[in-house]
Amino acid sequence: MNGLAKERLVSRGCKLVGCGSGVPSLQISNDDLAKWVDTNDEWISARTGIRNRRVIAGKDSLIGLAAEAARGALQMAQVDPDDVDLILMCTSTPEDLFGSASQIQKALGCKRHPLSYDITAACSGFLLGLVSAACHIRGGGFSNVLVIGADAISRYVDWSDRSSCILFGDGAGAVLLQACDVEEDGLFGFDLHSDGDGRRHLNAGIKEKEMDQKLGSNVSLIGFPPKNVTYSCLQMNGKEVFRFAVRTVPQSIEAALQKARLSSSNIDWLLLHQANQRIIDAVATRLEFPSERVISNVANYGNTSAASIPLALDEAVRSGQVEAGHLIAASGFGAGLTWASAIIRWG
């Protein structure tokens, strides 16, 4: 690497300057769920900490929620849509098989047609998007990158399965990552992993549809034409996912802290993927984080997958809980299996 290239890579930092969120209008309470499956509010809240969740219905769409979240981030940062250089849509439930990011760009009216693409990493997706955005800024010369976490998991939930349907909701959250002087850099360290062997514990794989009888009678080649496929409902082994999260997340956060040359005592807030309050509490206990320094909104939204971290961050910033200069240890974990942690500064 020549000296000029090396200087260019180390002379830029990135910082979080805006956030926003969007949630469906339809709210489903635990009592509402009890009308469909054999459950009740006490059973759900005791095991998960969840009391309500939002579900896409009617005129709501995932693209609409994501665009709403993005607009909120841009407005807070006082950045015009035409100044956005890149849009990263972190989702596992796009409304188009080929991706939804370009539709966010269209909805925002970005006239310069910035590159927009999807990142699929389930509940870890937002943090992978955040690190990717930092790489684009530090090494690619980008100035303003929108990172959106948005998912509509309700579309893939078996609403007759009380072990899984109680957990999930829909929503979107976004942040604007902006180039800055290296001294102001707001991403201090990160830790990213995946383990494909864990897929058996949490997945929503494809399944074949029945072939049309009329077409099938004229088929002469075995296996052709291939059958159309659809995605199955989400399948989860809750106990194994719980063990995975409680074991790997503290290790990942500690690794990110070590890379950042910080300790937990330097951190103002712990912000975990909002999967289950019991997981959040268990991780906080292992890391010796006091409950008053843990951000949680899982009670109101349930598990919103890639949306959960930016959605919780947006609420915490707008309520005054998180202030400029505060350090946050964030971690996402879920299907893949994947897990990711980052040490970030707000503002």
Side-chain angles (χ1 to χ4, degrees):
M1 180 183 293
N2 62 48
L4 179 61
K6 185 176 180 181
E7 176 65 23
R8 188 163 58 244
L9 285 173
V10 299
S11 64
R12 288 169 68 89
C14 57
K15 58 183 180 180
L16 284 78
V17 295
C19 58
S21 58
V23 296
S25 56
L26 177 61
Q27 177 174 282
I28 301 296
S29 69
N30 291 344
D31 289 334
D32 292 328
L33 279 183
K35 299 173 183 177
W36 279 280
V37 293
D38 182 17
T39 190
N40 57 66
D41 176 66
E42 182 180 1
W43 191 90
I44 298 172
S45 58
R47 286 163 176 77
T48 69
I50 300 168
R51 295 189 178 277
N52 296 287
R53 71 281 296 146
R54 300 296 185 94
V55 174
I56 285 180
K59 296 182 179 179
D60 286 329
S61 70
L62 189 66
I63 291 171
L65 297 179
E68 180 183 348
R71 290 189 193 97
L74 290 172
Q75 289 169 2
M76 180 181 289
Q78 297 183 329
V79 170
D80 190 271
D82 287 338
D83 292 325
V84 173
D85 302 302
L86 174 66
I87 299 172
L88 302 179
M89 173 68 160
C90 308
T91 183
S92 295
T93 57
E95 293 184 329
D96 188 307
L97 181 64
F98 300 123
S100 290
S102 61
Q103 296 305 302
I104 309 302
Q105 174 257 311
K106 176 184 177 182
L108 294 177
C110 303
K111 296 184 179 64
R112 293 194 299 119
H113 303 106
L115 173 65
S116 308
Y117 64 89
D118 287 24
I119 293 177
T120 302
C123 306
S124 304
F126 174 76
L127 286 182
L128 268 64
L130 195 68
V131 172
S132 297
C135 292
H136 279 289
I137 289 173
R138 291 170 173 173
F142 290 74
S143 295
N144 292 297
V145 180
L146 270 172
V147 184
I148 305 164
D151 267 310
I153 299 295
S154 69
R155 292 168 171 167
Y156 300 94
V157 166
D158 179 356
W159 290 99
S160 66
D161 176 12
R162 76 168 187 170
S163 67
S164 62
C165 76
I166 62 174
L167 298 171
F168 297 97
D170 305 331
V175 299
L176 184 72
L177 207 65
Q178 189 172 73
C180 63
D181 292 336
V182 68
E183 294 81 8
E184 300 176 1
D185 188 56
L187 176 60
F188 296 93
F190 56 86
D191 182 67
L192 314 174
H193 296 278
S194 62
D195 177 11
D197 189 53
R199 177 187 179 274
R200 66 188 188 275
H201 300 313
L202 180 54
N203 63 80
I206 60 173
K207 62 179 181 180
E208 292 183 340
K209 294 181 179 179
E210 291 298 322
M211 183 175 288
D212 183 85
Q213 291 291 330
K214 185 176 180 180
L215 177 63
S217 65
N218 294 323
V219 173
S220 59
L221 296 175
I222 296 176
F224 185 84
K227 294 181 179 179
N228 288 333
V229 297
T230 185
Y231 288 99
S232 66
C233 287
L234 181 148
Q235 307 290 322
M236 181 175 68
N237 183 327
K239 290 183 179 179
E240 288 300 326
V241 172
F242 184 95
R243 293 192 187 105
F244 148 72
V246 173
R247 181 183 70 254
T248 60
V249 172
Q251 295 172 352
S252 181
I253 290 175
E254 287 172 348
L257 283 168
Q258 186 175 11
K259 292 175 184 177
R261 298 180 182 179
L262 297 170
S263 69
S264 59
S265 62
N266 300 120
I267 302 301
D268 296 295
W269 300 102
L270 179 64
L271 173 54
L272 305 180
H273 164 50
Q274 306 291 295
N276 182 316
Q277 189 62 48
R278 288 173 62 198
I279 293 177
I280 295 171
D281 292 342
V283 172
T285 297
R286 292 201 178 192
L287 292 171
E288 298 183 347
F289 266 88
S291 58
E292 62 270 18
R293 289 168 54 197
V294 179
I295 297 172
S296 176
N297 68 352
V298 68
N300 295 323
Y301 300 103
N303 182 342
T304 56
S305 191
S308 75
I309 290 176
L311 177 58
L313 175 64
D314 185 52
E315 285 199 343
V317 169
R318 292 179 186 276
S319 69
Q321 193 176 13
V322 171
E323 299 177 354
H326 280 182
L327 296 184
I328 302 168
S331 187
F333 49 90
L337 295 170
T338 60
W339 60 104
S341 299
I343 310 303
I344 57 179
R345 178 172 57 207
W346 172 252

